[in-house]
Amino acid sequence: MNKSLVLAALIAAAALSACGKKEEPAPAPAEPVAAAVESAASAAVETASAAGAAVGDAAAAAGEAVTDAASAAGAAMGDAAAAAGEAVSDAASAAGAAADSAATAAADAAATAAAAAASAAQ
């Protein structure tokens, strides 16, 4: 009975090992995958470089726009100051002319009053 039990165990072990899954060697790394990864990395570097250049261009354009706006504001301030200066000058001239006219009118009125006083005194 021992022999038959050992023989049955041996046959069972042989059957199990024959029906078991065979171990396959791991596949070698595929070269096309490595080339695709390298190509994707190169494309990413180029895209990042182009994005960096675009950011630089946008910053330069923004700087130029700020400079142009500041120049325009400075010119507008200069024009406003010149216009204000002309307005003050015109107002001063008008005030001087009005003062001259008033002085002339006052002198004429004084002369007329003096003449009237002299005429009344006679």
Side-chain angles (χ1 to χ4, degrees):
M1 180 154 147
N2 268 345
K3 290 182 186 179
S4 54
L5 186 60
V6 170
L7 185 62
L10 192 58
I11 293 174
L16 283 176
S17 66
C19 295
K21 186 175 180 183
K22 292 187 169 78
E23 192 173 317
E24 296 179 16
E31 297 237 356
V33 172
V37 167
E38 186 176 325
S39 175
S42 175
V45 167
E46 289 175 12
T47 302
S49 176
V55 166
D57 292 346
E64 288 176 18
V66 167
T67 301
D68 292 346
S71 295
M77 293 280 293
D79 292 346
E86 288 178 24
V88 167
S89 178
D90 291 347
S93 294
D100 287 345
S101 177
T104 302
D108 289 345
T112 303
S119 178
Q122 284 180 350

